[in-house]
Amino acid sequence: MWPVHPLSSPFVFICFFFLQTFLLLPNVPVFLFSSCGPERLIGLAFACALGVTFLVLACALPQYNNWWPMFVLFFYFLSPLPTVVARRFSDSYDSSSSALVELCIFLTTGVVISAIGLPMVLAHTGIIKWGACALVVSGNIVVFSTILGYFRVFANEDMDYGAW
């Protein structure tokens, strides 16, 4: 039997794909994303599904069997709201700082830190196990990176939606 190469597992392939697609994007100027194809949207959806899968595994695996970590879903829905409000009511999101933009960044940071802190508090008090906490935190990192990637990729406001 041939030895299995450690990089041949699907999980490692998914991680490399995620790193290549989303985490290397901040070095690229925003104007290059004006003609984004559907592959970016498909990649974002895939990464979000991977993060939610980690969350469901943290709840449904037989050794954990506790659904309290699902409360993190509220933070997933709350995290993009301040950024959407700031883009809607601010003159320019990329210009010099305004009080509204700074407040929305502060609120988004609070939501993200709360989503990471909730499973740690639950694990510290013994409500969930530490393995479930690790799965929830890894799912949080993937989902919040996906939300950040969405706002980076689709930062151009005058995008043509007829291309989709």
Side-chain angles (χ1 to χ4, degrees), residues 8-69:
S8 64
S9 73
F11 179 73
V12 174
F13 174 74
I14 291 169
C15 289
F16 281 130
F17 173 76
F18 177 76
L19 287 173
Q20 180 185 10
T21 306
F22 302 114
L23 298 183
L24 298 177
L25 289 180
N27 297 331
V28 180
V30 175
F31 66 86
L32 292 178
F33 294 118
S34 61
S35 62
C36 290
E39 64 271 357
R40 300 274 187 202
L41 188 62
I42 293 169
L44 287 169
F46 180 73
C48 187
L50 181 69
V52 173
T53 301
F54 283 151
L55 179 64
V56 170
L57 283 175
C59 297
L61 284 176
Q63 62 262 32
Y64 305 134
N65 198 20
N66 193 342
W67 292 90
W68 282 103

Short mmCIF file of all heavy atoms in Angstrom, two decimals, residues 8-69:
data_model
loop_
_atom_site.label_atom_id
_atom_site.label_comp_id
_atom_site.label_asym_id
_atom_site.label_seq_id
_atom_site.Cartn_x
_atom_site.Cartn_y
_atom_site.Cartn_z
N SER A 8 -2.69 15.51 0.76
CA SER A 8 -3.69 14.98 -0.15
C SER A 8 -5.09 14.92 0.47
O SER A 8 -6.03 14.54 -0.19
CB SER A 8 -3.29 13.58 -0.60
OG SER A 8 -3.27 12.70 0.51
N SER A 9 -5.23 15.28 1.72
CA SER A 9 -6.55 15.22 2.34
C SER A 9 -7.41 16.38 1.83
O SER A 9 -6.91 17.46 1.51
CB SER A 9 -6.44 15.28 3.86
OG SER A 9 -6.11 16.58 4.26
N PRO A 10 -8.71 16.17 1.74
CA PRO A 10 -9.60 17.25 1.25
C PRO A 10 -9.60 18.46 2.17
O PRO A 10 -9.73 19.59 1.70
CB PRO A 10 -10.97 16.60 1.22
CG PRO A 10 -10.74 15.14 1.27
CD PRO A 10 -9.43 14.93 1.92
N PHE A 11 -9.43 18.26 3.47
CA PHE A 11 -9.45 19.38 4.40
C PHE A 11 -8.27 20.32 4.13
O PHE A 11 -8.43 21.54 4.12
CB PHE A 11 -9.41 18.88 5.84
CG PHE A 11 -9.39 19.99 6.85
CD1 PHE A 11 -10.53 20.74 7.08
CD2 PHE A 11 -8.24 20.30 7.54
CE1 PHE A 11 -10.52 21.78 7.99
CE2 PHE A 11 -8.22 21.33 8.45
CZ PHE A 11 -9.36 22.06 8.68
N VAL A 12 -7.09 19.74 3.89
CA VAL A 12 -5.92 20.57 3.61
C VAL A 12 -6.10 21.31 2.29
O VAL A 12 -5.75 22.49 2.16
CB VAL A 12 -4.64 19.71 3.61
CG1 VAL A 12 -3.44 20.51 3.18
CG2 VAL A 12 -4.42 19.12 4.99
N PHE A 13 -6.69 20.65 1.29
CA PHE A 13 -6.95 21.31 0.01
C PHE A 13 -7.91 22.49 0.20
O PHE A 13 -7.70 23.56 -0.36
CB PHE A 13 -7.53 20.31 -0.98
CG PHE A 13 -7.96 20.93 -2.27
CD1 PHE A 13 -7.01 21.33 -3.20
CD2 PHE A 13 -9.29 21.16 -2.53
CE1 PHE A 13 -7.40 21.93 -4.38
CE2 PHE A 13 -9.68 21.75 -3.71
CZ PHE A 13 -8.73 22.13 -4.64
N ILE A 14 -8.95 22.29 1.00
CA ILE A 14 -9.91 23.36 1.25
C ILE A 14 -9.25 24.52 1.96
O ILE A 14 -9.47 25.68 1.62
CB ILE A 14 -11.11 22.81 2.05
CG1 ILE A 14 -11.93 21.86 1.19
CG2 ILE A 14 -11.98 23.94 2.59
CD1 ILE A 14 -12.95 21.07 1.96
N CYS A 15 -8.38 24.23 2.93
CA CYS A 15 -7.70 25.30 3.66
C CYS A 15 -6.78 26.09 2.73
O CYS A 15 -6.73 27.32 2.80
CB CYS A 15 -6.92 24.72 4.82
SG CYS A 15 -7.97 24.14 6.15
N PHE A 16 -6.03 25.39 1.86
CA PHE A 16 -5.16 26.10 0.92
C PHE A 16 -5.97 26.93 -0.06
O PHE A 16 -5.60 28.04 -0.41
CB PHE A 16 -4.26 25.12 0.17
CG PHE A 16 -3.07 24.68 0.96
CD1 PHE A 16 -2.76 23.35 1.07
CD2 PHE A 16 -2.26 25.59 1.62
CE1 PHE A 16 -1.69 22.93 1.80
CE2 PHE A 16 -1.17 25.19 2.36
CZ PHE A 16 -0.88 23.86 2.45
N PHE A 17 -7.11 26.40 -0.52
CA PHE A 17 -7.97 27.15 -1.42
C PHE A 17 -8.50 28.42 -0.73
O PHE A 17 -8.50 29.50 -1.31
CB PHE A 17 -9.15 26.28 -1.88
CG PHE A 17 -10.17 27.02 -2.68
CD1 PHE A 17 -9.93 27.36 -3.99
CD2 PHE A 17 -11.37 27.41 -2.10
CE1 PHE A 17 -10.87 28.05 -4.73
CE2 PHE A 17 -12.31 28.10 -2.83
CZ PHE A 17 -12.06 28.42 -4.15
N PHE A 18 -8.91 28.27 0.53
CA PHE A 18 -9.42 29.41 1.28
C PHE A 18 -8.34 30.47 1.47
O PHE A 18 -8.58 31.66 1.28
CB PHE A 18 -9.95 28.93 2.64
CG PHE A 18 -10.44 30.04 3.51
CD1 PHE A 18 -11.64 30.65 3.26
CD2 PHE A 18 -9.68 30.48 4.58
CE1 PHE A 18 -12.10 31.68 4.05
CE2 PHE A 18 -10.13 31.50 5.38
CZ PHE A 18 -11.33 32.10 5.11
N LEU A 19 -7.13 30.03 1.85
CA LEU A 19 -6.05 30.98 2.05
C LEU A 19 -5.69 31.70 0.75
O LEU A 19 -5.48 32.91 0.74
CB LEU A 19 -4.82 30.26 2.59
CG LEU A 19 -4.88 29.82 4.04
CD1 LEU A 19 -3.69 28.97 4.39
CD2 LEU A 19 -4.94 31.03 4.94
N GLN A 20 -5.64 30.96 -0.34
CA GLN A 20 -5.28 31.56 -1.60
C GLN A 20 -6.36 32.54 -2.08
O GLN A 20 -6.05 33.59 -2.62
CB GLN A 20 -5.07 30.48 -2.64
CG GLN A 20 -4.69 31.02 -4.00
CD GLN A 20 -4.60 29.91 -5.03
OE1 GLN A 20 -5.00 28.80 -4.78
NE2 GLN A 20 -4.09 30.25 -6.20
N THR A 21 -7.60 32.19 -1.88
CA THR A 21 -8.68 33.00 -2.43
C THR A 21 -8.95 34.26 -1.61
O THR A 21 -9.13 35.34 -2.17
CB THR A 21 -9.97 32.18 -2.51
OG1 THR A 21 -9.69 30.99 -3.24
CG2 THR A 21 -11.06 32.95 -3.21
N PHE A 22 -8.97 34.15 -0.29
CA PHE A 22 -9.46 35.26 0.53
C PHE A 22 -8.39 35.99 1.32
O PHE A 22 -8.43 37.19 1.44
CB PHE A 22 -10.53 34.76 1.49
CG PHE A 22 -11.67 34.13 0.79
CD1 PHE A 22 -11.93 32.79 0.94
CD2 PHE A 22 -12.47 34.86 -0.06
CE1 PHE A 22 -12.96 32.20 0.28
CE2 PHE A 22 -13.50 34.28 -0.73
CZ PHE A 22 -13.76 32.95 -0.56
N LEU A 23 -7.46 35.28 1.88
CA LEU A 23 -6.52 35.94 2.78
C LEU A 23 -5.41 36.66 2.04
O LEU A 23 -4.75 37.51 2.61
CB LEU A 23 -5.94 34.94 3.77
CG LEU A 23 -6.99 34.31 4.68
CD1 LEU A 23 -6.33 33.39 5.67
CD2 LEU A 23 -7.79 35.36 5.41
N LEU A 24 -5.17 36.33 0.78
CA LEU A 24 -4.17 37.04 0.02
C LEU A 24 -4.75 38.24 -0.73
O LEU A 24 -4.03 38.98 -1.36
CB LEU A 24 -3.50 36.08 -0.98
CG LEU A 24 -2.77 34.91 -0.33
CD1 LEU A 24 -2.21 33.99 -1.40
CD2 LEU A 24 -1.68 35.37 0.59
N LEU A 25 -6.06 38.42 -0.66
CA LEU A 25 -6.71 39.51 -1.38
C LEU A 25 -6.42 40.91 -0.85
O LEU A 25 -6.45 41.84 -1.63
CB LEU A 25 -8.22 39.29 -1.40
CG LEU A 25 -8.70 38.15 -2.28
CD1 LEU A 25 -10.20 38.06 -2.21
CD2 LEU A 25 -8.26 38.34 -3.70
N PRO A 26 -6.15 41.11 0.45
CA PRO A 26 -5.93 42.49 0.90
C PRO A 26 -4.74 43.18 0.25
O PRO A 26 -4.66 44.39 0.24
CB PRO A 26 -5.73 42.36 2.41
CG PRO A 26 -6.46 41.13 2.77
CD PRO A 26 -6.30 40.22 1.59
N ASN A 27 -3.80 42.43 -0.35
CA ASN A 27 -2.66 43.06 -1.00
C ASN A 27 -3.00 43.57 -2.39
O ASN A 27 -2.21 44.26 -3.00
CB ASN A 27 -1.52 42.05 -1.10
CG ASN A 27 -1.05 41.62 0.26
OD1 ASN A 27 -1.14 42.38 1.21
ND2 ASN A 27 -0.54 40.41 0.37
N VAL A 28 -4.16 43.22 -2.91
CA VAL A 28 -4.57 43.61 -4.25
C VAL A 28 -5.43 44.86 -4.15
O VAL A 28 -6.31 44.94 -3.29
CB VAL A 28 -5.36 42.46 -4.92
CG1 VAL A 28 -5.79 42.85 -6.31
CG2 VAL A 28 -4.52 41.20 -4.94
N PRO A 29 -5.21 45.86 -4.99
CA PRO A 29 -6.05 47.07 -4.94
C PRO A 29 -7.52 46.75 -5.19
O PRO A 29 -7.85 45.83 -5.92
CB PRO A 29 -5.48 47.94 -6.05
CG PRO A 29 -4.11 47.42 -6.30
CD PRO A 29 -4.13 45.97 -5.97
N VAL A 30 -8.38 47.56 -4.59
CA VAL A 30 -9.82 47.32 -4.66
C VAL A 30 -10.36 47.49 -6.08
O VAL A 30 -11.26 46.78 -6.49
CB VAL A 30 -10.56 48.26 -3.67
CG1 VAL A 30 -12.05 48.12 -3.81
CG2 VAL A 30 -10.11 47.99 -2.26
N PHE A 31 -9.77 48.39 -6.88
CA PHE A 31 -10.32 48.64 -8.21
C PHE A 31 -10.17 47.43 -9.13
O PHE A 31 -10.82 47.35 -10.16
CB PHE A 31 -9.68 49.87 -8.84
CG PHE A 31 -8.21 49.71 -9.14
CD1 PHE A 31 -7.80 49.14 -10.34
CD2 PHE A 31 -7.26 50.12 -8.24
CE1 PHE A 31 -6.46 49.00 -10.62
CE2 PHE A 31 -5.92 49.99 -8.51
CZ PHE A 31 -5.51 49.42 -9.71
N LEU A 32 -9.34 46.46 -8.77
CA LEU A 32 -9.19 45.28 -9.61
C LEU A 32 -10.39 44.34 -9.49
O LEU A 32 -10.54 43.43 -10.30
CB LEU A 32 -7.92 44.52 -9.25
CG LEU A 32 -6.62 45.23 -9.57
CD1 LEU A 32 -5.44 44.39 -9.11
CD2 LEU A 32 -6.51 45.51 -11.05
N PHE A 33 -11.24 44.55 -8.51
CA PHE A 33 -12.39 43.68 -8.31
C PHE A 33 -13.64 44.21 -9.00
O PHE A 33 -14.73 43.73 -8.76
CB PHE A 33 -12.70 43.53 -6.82
CG PHE A 33 -11.63 42.80 -6.08
CD1 PHE A 33 -10.94 43.42 -5.07
CD2 PHE A 33 -11.31 41.50 -6.41
CE1 PHE A 33 -9.95 42.76 -4.40
CE2 PHE A 33 -10.31 40.84 -5.74
CZ PHE A 33 -9.63 41.46 -4.74
N SER A 34 -13.49 45.20 -9.85
CA SER A 34 -14.68 45.76 -10.48
C SER A 34 -15.33 44.78 -11.44
O SER A 34 -16.50 44.88 -11.74
CB SER A 34 -14.32 47.05 -11.21
OG SER A 34 -13.36 46.77 -12.21
N SER A 35 -14.58 43.82 -11.94
CA SER A 35 -15.15 42.82 -12.84
C SER A 35 -15.06 41.43 -12.20
O SER A 35 -14.46 40.53 -12.75
CB SER A 35 -14.43 42.85 -14.18
OG SER A 35 -13.07 42.52 -13.98
N CYS A 36 -15.62 41.29 -11.02
CA CYS A 36 -15.58 40.01 -10.32
C CYS A 36 -16.50 39.02 -11.02
O CYS A 36 -17.62 39.34 -11.36
CB CYS A 36 -16.05 40.16 -8.88
SG CYS A 36 -14.88 41.06 -7.89
N GLY A 37 -16.00 37.84 -11.19
CA GLY A 37 -16.80 36.79 -11.78
C GLY A 37 -17.55 36.03 -10.70
O GLY A 37 -17.38 36.27 -9.49
N PRO A 38 -18.38 35.11 -11.10
CA PRO A 38 -19.15 34.35 -10.12
C PRO A 38 -18.30 33.40 -9.30
O PRO A 38 -18.76 32.92 -8.27
CB PRO A 38 -20.17 33.59 -10.98
CG PRO A 38 -19.59 33.57 -12.35
CD PRO A 38 -18.75 34.80 -12.47
N GLU A 39 -17.05 33.15 -9.71
CA GLU A 39 -16.21 32.24 -8.92
C GLU A 39 -15.89 32.81 -7.54
O GLU A 39 -15.73 32.07 -6.58
CB GLU A 39 -14.93 31.88 -9.67
CG GLU A 39 -14.01 33.03 -9.95
CD GLU A 39 -14.30 33.75 -11.25
OE1 GLU A 39 -15.20 33.33 -12.00
OE2 GLU A 39 -13.63 34.75 -11.51
N ARG A 40 -15.82 34.12 -7.43
CA ARG A 40 -15.60 34.74 -6.11
C ARG A 40 -16.80 34.51 -5.19
O ARG A 40 -16.65 34.20 -4.03
CB ARG A 40 -15.35 36.23 -6.25
CG ARG A 40 -14.17 36.57 -7.07
CD ARG A 40 -12.94 36.56 -6.23
NE ARG A 40 -11.85 37.05 -7.06
CZ ARG A 40 -10.59 36.79 -6.81
NH1 ARG A 40 -10.27 36.07 -5.78
NH2 ARG A 40 -9.66 37.25 -7.59
N LEU A 41 -17.98 34.68 -5.74
CA LEU A 41 -19.20 34.47 -4.95
C LEU A 41 -19.35 33.00 -4.56
O LEU A 41 -19.74 32.69 -3.44
CB LEU A 41 -20.41 34.95 -5.75
CG LEU A 41 -21.74 34.97 -5.00
CD1 LEU A 41 -21.66 35.93 -3.83
CD2 LEU A 41 -22.86 35.37 -5.93
N ILE A 42 -19.01 32.10 -5.46
CA ILE A 42 -19.08 30.67 -5.16
C ILE A 42 -18.06 30.32 -4.09
O ILE A 42 -18.35 29.55 -3.17
CB ILE A 42 -18.88 29.85 -6.44
CG1 ILE A 42 -20.06 30.04 -7.39
CG2 ILE A 42 -18.68 28.37 -6.13
CD1 ILE A 42 -19.84 29.49 -8.77
N GLY A 43 -16.87 30.90 -4.16
CA GLY A 43 -15.85 30.65 -3.14
C GLY A 43 -16.27 31.16 -1.77
O GLY A 43 -16.04 30.50 -0.75
N LEU A 44 -16.90 32.34 -1.74
CA LEU A 44 -17.39 32.87 -0.47
C LEU A 44 -18.49 31.99 0.11
O LEU A 44 -18.52 31.75 1.32
CB LEU A 44 -17.89 34.30 -0.66
CG LEU A 44 -16.83 35.37 -0.87
CD1 LEU A 44 -17.46 36.67 -1.30
CD2 LEU A 44 -16.02 35.56 0.39
N ALA A 45 -19.39 31.52 -0.73
CA ALA A 45 -20.46 30.65 -0.25
C ALA A 45 -19.90 29.33 0.26
O ALA A 45 -20.35 28.80 1.29
CB ALA A 45 -21.47 30.39 -1.36
N PHE A 46 -18.90 28.81 -0.42
CA PHE A 46 -18.27 27.57 0.02
C PHE A 46 -17.57 27.74 1.36
O PHE A 46 -17.68 26.89 2.25
CB PHE A 46 -17.27 27.10 -1.05
CG PHE A 46 -16.58 25.83 -0.69
CD1 PHE A 46 -17.26 24.63 -0.74
CD2 PHE A 46 -15.25 25.84 -0.31
CE1 PHE A 46 -16.62 23.45 -0.42
CE2 PHE A 46 -14.61 24.66 0.01
CZ PHE A 46 -15.30 23.47 -0.04
N ALA A 47 -16.86 28.85 1.53
CA ALA A 47 -16.17 29.10 2.80
C ALA A 47 -17.16 29.30 3.94
O ALA A 47 -16.94 28.80 5.05
CB ALA A 47 -15.26 30.33 2.67
N CYS A 48 -18.26 29.99 3.69
CA CYS A 48 -19.28 30.17 4.72
C CYS A 48 -19.91 28.83 5.10
O CYS A 48 -20.14 28.56 6.28
CB CYS A 48 -20.33 31.16 4.24
SG CYS A 48 -21.51 31.61 5.52
N ALA A 49 -20.16 27.98 4.10
CA ALA A 49 -20.72 26.66 4.39
C ALA A 49 -19.74 25.82 5.20
O ALA A 49 -20.15 25.06 6.09
CB ALA A 49 -21.08 25.95 3.09
N LEU A 50 -18.45 25.98 4.95
CA LEU A 50 -17.44 25.26 5.72
C LEU A 50 -17.44 25.71 7.18
O LEU A 50 -17.37 24.89 8.10
CB LEU A 50 -16.06 25.47 5.09
CG LEU A 50 -14.90 24.77 5.76
CD1 LEU A 50 -15.01 23.27 5.55
CD2 LEU A 50 -13.60 25.30 5.21
N GLY A 51 -17.54 27.02 7.42
CA GLY A 51 -17.58 27.53 8.78
C GLY A 51 -18.82 27.08 9.54
O GLY A 51 -18.74 26.71 10.71
N VAL A 52 -19.96 27.10 8.88
CA VAL A 52 -21.20 26.64 9.53
C VAL A 52 -21.14 25.13 9.77
O VAL A 52 -21.68 24.64 10.76
CB VAL A 52 -22.42 27.06 8.70
CG1 VAL A 52 -23.70 26.47 9.24
CG2 VAL A 52 -22.53 28.58 8.67
N THR A 53 -20.45 24.40 8.90
CA THR A 53 -20.27 22.96 9.13
C THR A 53 -19.46 22.71 10.39
O THR A 53 -19.78 21.80 11.16
CB THR A 53 -19.58 22.32 7.91
OG1 THR A 53 -20.38 22.54 6.75
CG2 THR A 53 -19.39 20.84 8.12
N PHE A 54 -18.43 23.51 10.62
CA PHE A 54 -17.67 23.39 11.87
C PHE A 54 -18.58 23.63 13.08
O PHE A 54 -18.49 22.94 14.09
CB PHE A 54 -16.50 24.37 11.91
CG PHE A 54 -15.32 23.97 11.09
CD1 PHE A 54 -14.50 24.93 10.54
CD2 PHE A 54 -15.01 22.64 10.87
CE1 PHE A 54 -13.39 24.58 9.79
CE2 PHE A 54 -13.92 22.27 10.11
CZ PHE A 54 -13.11 23.24 9.58
N LEU A 55 -19.45 24.62 12.96
CA LEU A 55 -20.37 24.93 14.06
C LEU A 55 -21.34 23.78 14.31
O LEU A 55 -21.57 23.39 15.46
CB LEU A 55 -21.13 26.22 13.75
CG LEU A 55 -22.15 26.67 14.78
CD1 LEU A 55 -21.47 27.00 16.09
CD2 LEU A 55 -22.92 27.85 14.26
N VAL A 56 -21.89 23.21 13.25
CA VAL A 56 -22.83 22.10 13.41
C VAL A 56 -22.11 20.87 13.97
O VAL A 56 -22.66 20.15 14.81
CB VAL A 56 -23.53 21.79 12.07
CG1 VAL A 56 -24.32 20.51 12.13
CG2 VAL A 56 -24.43 22.94 11.68
N LEU A 57 -20.87 20.64 13.54
CA LEU A 57 -20.10 19.52 14.10
C LEU A 57 -19.85 19.70 15.59
O LEU A 57 -19.86 18.73 16.35
CB LEU A 57 -18.78 19.36 13.35
CG LEU A 57 -18.84 18.71 11.99
CD1 LEU A 57 -17.47 18.74 11.33
CD2 LEU A 57 -19.35 17.29 12.08
N ALA A 58 -19.61 20.93 16.00
CA ALA A 58 -19.40 21.20 17.42
C ALA A 58 -20.63 20.90 18.24
O ALA A 58 -20.54 20.61 19.43
CB ALA A 58 -18.97 22.65 17.63
N CYS A 59 -21.79 20.96 17.62
CA CYS A 59 -23.03 20.70 18.34
C CYS A 59 -23.49 19.26 18.21
O CYS A 59 -24.01 18.69 19.18
CB CYS A 59 -24.13 21.62 17.82
SG CYS A 59 -23.82 23.36 18.07
N ALA A 60 -23.32 18.65 17.06
CA ALA A 60 -23.98 17.39 16.77
C ALA A 60 -23.12 16.15 16.96
O ALA A 60 -23.67 15.04 16.96
CB ALA A 60 -24.50 17.41 15.33
N LEU A 61 -21.83 16.28 17.07
CA LEU A 61 -21.01 15.08 17.27
C LEU A 61 -21.40 14.39 18.57
O LEU A 61 -21.71 15.06 19.57
CB LEU A 61 -19.53 15.43 17.28
CG LEU A 61 -18.91 15.72 15.91
CD1 LEU A 61 -17.47 16.14 16.06
CD2 LEU A 61 -19.01 14.51 15.01
N PRO A 62 -21.40 13.06 18.59
CA PRO A 62 -21.89 12.34 19.78
C PRO A 62 -21.12 12.64 21.06
O PRO A 62 -21.70 12.63 22.14
CB PRO A 62 -21.74 10.87 19.40
CG PRO A 62 -21.58 10.84 17.94
CD PRO A 62 -21.06 12.15 17.50
N GLN A 63 -19.84 12.92 20.96
CA GLN A 63 -19.09 13.20 22.19
C GLN A 63 -19.39 14.59 22.75
O GLN A 63 -19.11 14.84 23.92
CB GLN A 63 -17.58 13.02 21.98
CG GLN A 63 -16.97 13.94 20.97
CD GLN A 63 -16.82 13.27 19.62
OE1 GLN A 63 -17.61 12.43 19.24
NE2 GLN A 63 -15.80 13.69 18.88
N TYR A 64 -19.95 15.49 21.94
CA TYR A 64 -20.31 16.82 22.44
C TYR A 64 -21.81 16.90 22.73
O TYR A 64 -22.20 17.23 23.84
CB TYR A 64 -19.89 17.89 21.44
CG TYR A 64 -18.43 17.83 21.08
CD1 TYR A 64 -18.02 17.93 19.77
CD2 TYR A 64 -17.46 17.66 22.05
CE1 TYR A 64 -16.69 17.87 19.43
CE2 TYR A 64 -16.13 17.59 21.73
CZ TYR A 64 -15.75 17.70 20.41
OH TYR A 64 -14.43 17.64 20.08
N ASN A 65 -22.65 16.65 21.74
CA ASN A 65 -24.11 16.55 21.88
C ASN A 65 -24.70 17.67 22.74
O ASN A 65 -25.43 17.44 23.69
CB ASN A 65 -24.50 15.18 22.44
CG ASN A 65 -25.96 14.88 22.19
OD1 ASN A 65 -26.59 15.49 21.33
ND2 ASN A 65 -26.50 13.94 22.95
N ASN A 66 -24.37 18.90 22.37
CA ASN A 66 -24.87 20.06 23.10
C ASN A 66 -25.09 21.18 22.08
O ASN A 66 -24.18 21.52 21.33
CB ASN A 66 -23.85 20.48 24.16
CG ASN A 66 -24.42 21.45 25.14
OD1 ASN A 66 -25.44 22.06 24.91
ND2 ASN A 66 -23.73 21.59 26.26
N TRP A 67 -26.27 21.75 22.08
CA TRP A 67 -26.62 22.71 21.05
C TRP A 67 -26.49 24.17 21.50
O TRP A 67 -26.92 25.08 20.81
CB TRP A 67 -28.04 22.42 20.53
CG TRP A 67 -28.05 21.14 19.78
CD1 TRP A 67 -28.29 19.90 20.29
CD2 TRP A 67 -27.75 20.95 18.40
NE1 TRP A 67 -28.18 18.94 19.30
CE2 TRP A 67 -27.85 19.57 18.13
CE3 TRP A 67 -27.42 21.80 17.37
CZ2 TRP A 67 -27.61 19.04 16.87
CZ3 TRP A 67 -27.20 21.28 16.11
CH2 TRP A 67 -27.29 19.91 15.88
N TRP A 68 -25.91 24.42 22.64
CA TRP A 68 -25.70 25.79 23.11
C TRP A 68 -24.81 26.61 22.19
O TRP A 68 -25.02 27.83 22.06
CB TRP A 68 -25.13 25.80 24.53
CG TRP A 68 -26.16 25.52 25.56
CD1 TRP A 68 -26.35 24.35 26.23
CD2 TRP A 68 -27.15 26.41 26.04
NE1 TRP A 68 -27.40 24.45 27.09
CE2 TRP A 68 -27.92 25.73 27.01
CE3 TRP A 68 -27.48 27.73 25.75
CZ2 TRP A 68 -28.97 26.31 27.66
CZ3 TRP A 68 -28.54 28.31 26.43
CH2 TRP A 68 -29.27 27.60 27.37
N PRO A 69 -23.80 26.02 21.53
CA PRO A 69 -22.97 26.86 20.64
C PRO A 69 -23.71 27.44 19.45
O PRO A 69 -23.20 28.36 18.79
CB PRO A 69 -21.88 25.89 20.16
CG PRO A 69 -21.78 24.87 21.22
CD PRO A 69 -23.17 24.71 21.75
#
